[in-house]
Amino acid sequence: MTEFMNQDFLLTTETARKLYHEVAADLPIIDYHSHLQQGEIAARKTFRNIAELWLAGDHYKWRLMRTAGVAEEFITGERSDQEKFRAFCKVLPLAIGNPIHHWSHLELRRIFNIDLLINEANADAIWEQANARLATMDTWSLLEQAGVEIACTTDDPADDLLQHAQIASSALKTRVLPAYRPDKAMRINQPRFIDYLQRLGQVSSVSVTSFASLIAALAVRVEFFHSRGARISDHAVDVTLPVAGATPAQLEALFAKRLQGTLLTDEENGLYLRGLLEAIGRVYANYGWTMCLHIGAQRNNNDRMRAKLGPDTGYDSISDMGTSAGLASLLNALDQDDRLPKTMLFCLNPNMNEVLSTMVGNFQDGTVAGKLQFGPAWWFNDHKEGNLQQLVGFGNHSVLGVFVGMVTDSRSFASYPRHDYFRRLVCRQIGEWVHGGEYPNDFEALATIVRGICYDNARKYFQL
């Protein structure tokens, strides 16, 4: 029987072990999509205890605790931090097969050098030891200890990025770069959409009174973000994209309708989103940016709990919406005049893995290795089987050696051991192919692939 999470955890062959320990383990981290708060980095935030670091705002853990029968008062309620931590430790042993069980133990070992099992009996000892260590740490030391070379935050086009400027001029070794996420411009039916247009207009010096002026204002902000180091945009595609795009006149009519106070229908919303992505995609191409499309989330499903706790509190799931025809049409429209930017397709529905991993092959043009990428296992797919399926799908349908690797997609400064988890799985899968006689046991070639996936490719691809 193998020891729990020993040094060769997840590494099933000698090739995998050699690749991990000699190549992958100590590579720097490029986290090109996270939800870290730049203000917490700029201020060198400290954490009062491990509960704040681990549980505050972490909807992954909140979902686990609710499912295990923990009352909301021990999750987002008024119970003390230590009571919440004890409640988490009590139920974590039930989560066999859940990556949070592995991640939490990796975090405990790598961040705090604590090798205890996380359970009810050890909760108080972990609390004391972790808090003693945490008292000497802040957001900077967490990033630097994890070996994070570059971390990209998620920023609204109207943000002034002043905190990014503070970080850039500081002594922090990690480069913290903004990433451009225009959700508020995309979600045309949101109650504060028109208020947002006014704010966007103010910061861009463009009066946003039409669809064309909206794109002009967003383009001004792309230029501003580019000057501050941004090279990546991020878009949540949560509605079905139409196969036929709207004409400029139709887009202006839809925009005018919303300015007059009328919400768009679902069909009209899809047309608007398609038009916005097509227009802003051309802007990204001008700057050499990468457009990331996160596809397949069904968000905020529980109305009762949303009214109580707000959005993004752990009530999201996978959508089964149709995507391929509209997505192909969008990419084709951009490609027609050679204005398709580098694009990553993140897939939340594993049933769409082959759809998206084959879609990227339709628009490769040889200008950039892996110009279009099937993105890493994301959110509900970010577990052992999900990562292995993504790697196999990428390998089956594309060129795995150009893959740019994983992201944390996390708000937590403790999440970086997930990169260790991913790297072990990369080495595991490659080792299995070699062990099965499906690839030569050429260590130099294998090491080049592993270094590329874990570090080199992202730096080149995103021009960081």
Side-chain angles (χ1 to χ4, degrees):
M1 182 173 62
T2 303
E3 180 186 1
F4 173 65
M5 291 183 67
N6 65 13
Q7 65 177 359
D8 295 328
F9 172 56
L10 298 175
L11 306 173
T12 53
T13 64
E14 183 57 37
T15 300
R17 291 187 281 273
K18 184 177 177 64
L19 286 170
Y20 171 76
H21 291 298
E22 296 185 18
V23 180
D26 296 323
L27 289 171
I29 290 171
I30 295 178
D31 189 15
Y32 56 89
H33 175 66
S34 82
H35 294 276
L36 299 180
Q37 297 300 304
Q38 62 268 28
E40 294 181 349
I41 301 173
R44 299 192 66 163
K45 177 180 175 175
T46 57
F47 297 87
R48 60 183 179 269
N49 52 52
I50 190 174
E52 183 186 12
L53 179 67
W54 266 14
L55 301 177
D58 190 336
H59 56 80
Y60 286 73
K61 292 187 178 77
W62 292 356
R63 284 172 66 94
L64 185 154
M65 294 172 73
R66 290 174 187 135
T67 303
V70 176
E72 195 65 33
E73 63 183 306
F74 289 92
I75 303 172
T76 61
E78 298 301 319
R79 291 286 186 162
S80 70
D81 286 348
Q82 187 166 9
E83 288 175 306
K84 292 176 180 178
F85 181 72
R86 285 172 176 158
F88 174 69
C89 292
K90 180 179 180 179
V91 300
L92 187 64
L94 300 175
I96 185 170
N98 191 309
I100 296 173
H101 189 269
H102 290 155
W103 294 343
S104 298
H105 282 92
L106 283 172
E107 291 169 16
L108 199 62
R109 294 176 183 183
R110 284 185 163 262
I111 298 173
F112 301 108
N113 197 28
I114 298 173
D115 200 18
L116 294 172
L117 293 178
I118 302 170
N119 55 36
E120 185 176 18
N122 289 333
D124 287 347
I126 294 171
W127 174 264
E128 295 297 332
Q129 292 178 41
N131 289 346
R133 172 76 172 125
L134 200 57
T136 68
M137 304 178 76
D138 58 20
T139 52
W140 284 25
S141 59
L142 286 165
L143 289 169
E144 292 176 353
Q145 175 184 303
V148 183
E149 181 176 295
I150 297 172
C152 296
T153 59
T154 303
D155 306 275
D156 185 88
D159 286 351
D160 58 23
L161 303 185
L162 289 178
Q163 290 168 327
H164 276 280
Q166 294 172 19
I167 297 167
S169 62
S170 75
L172 176 64
K173 295 177 182 177
T174 301
R175 290 177 62 204
V176 180
L177 302 176
Y180 188 88
R181 180 154 176 153
D183 278 359
K184 293 178 182 178
M186 294 168 62
R187 295 174 178 168
I188 191 169
N189 279 343
Q190 288 296 307
R192 300 189 64 82
F193 176 74
I194 295 175
D195 292 339
Y196 176 73
L197 297 182
Q198 294 177 351
R199 182 180 173 214
L200 180 64
Q202 289 173 351
V203 299
S204 63
S205 299
V206 175
S207 178
V208 183
T209 57
S210 64
F211 182 81
S213 59
L214 170 64
I215 300 304
L218 291 173
V220 168
R221 299 309 289 173
V222 169
E223 181 179 17
F224 173 72
F225 270 58
H226 189 83
S227 71
R228 299 302 190 272
R231 298 295 182 268
I232 301 165
S233 73
D234 181 53
H235 302 264
V237 181
D238 298 337
V239 302
T240 300
L241 297 175
V243 175
T247 66
Q250 288 173 320
L251 289 169
E252 292 297 353
L254 292 174
F255 198 80
K257 176 181 177 179
R258 182 66 183 91
L259 289 186
Q260 292 164 7
T262 304
L263 298 182
L264 304 190
T265 65
D266 289 345
E267 181 180 358
E268 291 172 333
N269 193 19
L271 284 169
Y272 169 78
L273 179 59
R274 158 69 191 269
L276 188 148
L277 288 172
E278 189 174 331
I280 198 66
R282 290 185 164 86
V283 178
Y284 300 150
N286 290 341
Y287 286 88
W289 279 23
T290 299
M291 178 171 68
C292 296
L293 303 180
H294 284 79
I295 300 166
Q298 188 165 304
R299 303 174 191 270
N300 302 310
N301 294 282
N302 190 322
D303 289 342
R304 178 176 64 86
M305 294 307 292
R306 180 173 184 174
K308 182 178 180 180
L309 301 177
D312 306 321
T313 50
Y315 299 95
D316 310 303
S317 56
I318 295 169
S319 169
D320 62 357
M321 70 180 188
T323 301
S324 62
L327 178 61
S329 178
L330 167 65
L331 299 176
N332 188 56
L334 288 165
D335 187 66
Q336 286 298 298
D337 54 359
D338 198 22
R339 301 285 293 283
L340 176 63
K342 291 178 290 185
T343 301
M344 295 189 69
L345 305 180
F346 289 73
C347 174
L348 196 57
N349 187 339
N351 292 326
M352 293 167 55
N353 279 2
E354 281 72 24
V355 173
L356 298 190
S357 64
T358 56
M359 180 69 71
V360 300
N362 295 331
F363 301 99
Q364 307 287 7
D365 59 15
T367 59
V368 177
K371 177 179 177 179
L372 272 72
Q373 295 248 339
F374 176 40
W378 163 55
W379 200 349
F380 292 114
N381 296 324
D382 190 4
H383 47 72
K384 187 184 80 172
E385 298 304 328
N387 277 284
L388 293 174
Q389 289 169 13
Q390 191 273 345
L391 291 167
V392 170
F394 202 126
N396 284 342
H397 299 132
S398 189
V399 179
L400 186 59
V402 303
F403 177 35
V404 297
M406 76 158 290
V407 294
T408 61
D409 187 38
S410 175
R411 294 168 175 79
S412 173
F413 287 88
S415 65
Y416 285 102
R418 295 184 199 174
H419 279 261
D420 179 74
Y421 193 73
F422 169 79
R423 290 171 177 184
R424 288 173 180 269
L425 291 171
V426 170
C427 295
R428 173 195 179 113
Q429 184 57 58
I430 290 175
E432 290 288 345
W433 279 324
V434 173
H435 185 72
E438 300 175 59
Y439 192 89
N441 190 14
D442 179 342
F443 186 75
E444 184 176 349
L446 296 169
T448 297
I449 293 172
V450 169
R451 276 195 300 269
I453 294 172
C454 297
Y455 175 73
D456 288 341
N457 294 343
R459 192 172 185 87
K460 294 174 185 175
Y461 184 78
F462 297 112
Q463 297 179 338
L464 300 173

